[in-house]
Each structure stands twice: as structure tokens, then as C-alpha cells.
Amino acid sequence: ARRADAPPIADAHEFTRHRGPVTGVASVPGTDWIASVAYDGAVGLFDVASGAVELLGYHEHLANGISADPRGGRIATCGA
């Protein structure tokens, strides 16, 4: 269950930005993508070349760490 004071969850079609402080970013090697996590629990993927935004998922609580595989195939996140 999400915290009672957590920001509202956007569905994948409505996600355009984080709704809380960004706590981590990672460049995805070999792409124009930047992955990010934030206090809103969201894991976002942003294409810096085209401006496209994709919601990858949510943590139940704040997300505070992210890392991208050096080969660009995976993103790992962690939360509290």
C-alpha cells in the first residue's frame, strides 16, 4: 500500500514528470535516454533527443537510487 501522504499516481499515459524531488538519475549507455527516480516513487525514462517520456513503474514508497547496466539493457532501482 502507498503512504497516505504520497503524491497521486499518474498512469503511464499521463506521466510527464516527477511529482516529487528527483533523487537519482542514470544515463542509459548507447541511447539518448535518461532514467530517473524520485520521492513520488516513480521510475521515469526521458529521451533527451525527442522529448519522449515513459513511465516504467512505481515503488510503493519513495525511490532513492538508480543504476543502468553498462550495456544499456537493464535499469535497477531501489526505494525506502
Side-chain angles (χ1 to χ4, degrees):
R2 290 185 51 80
R3 298 182 332 259
D5 64 341
I9 295 176
D11 71 27
H13 301 292
E14 296 173 353
F15 183 79
T16 58
R17 63 178 181 81
H18 288 288
R19 289 168 173 76
V22 173
T23 55
V25 295
S27 173
V28 181
T31 72
D32 290 325
W33 291 95
I34 300 291
S36 61
V37 294
Y39 276 11
D40 62 2
V43 180
L45 197 58
F46 300 83
D47 185 325
V48 296
S50 71
V53 178
E54 183 177 345
L55 174 66
L56 298 181
Y58 275 99
H59 284 262
E60 288 187 19
H61 300 285
L62 66 91
N64 55 13
I66 189 166
S67 181
D69 174 9
R71 290 172 281 171
R74 295 175 190 221
I75 296 171
T77 64
C78 62

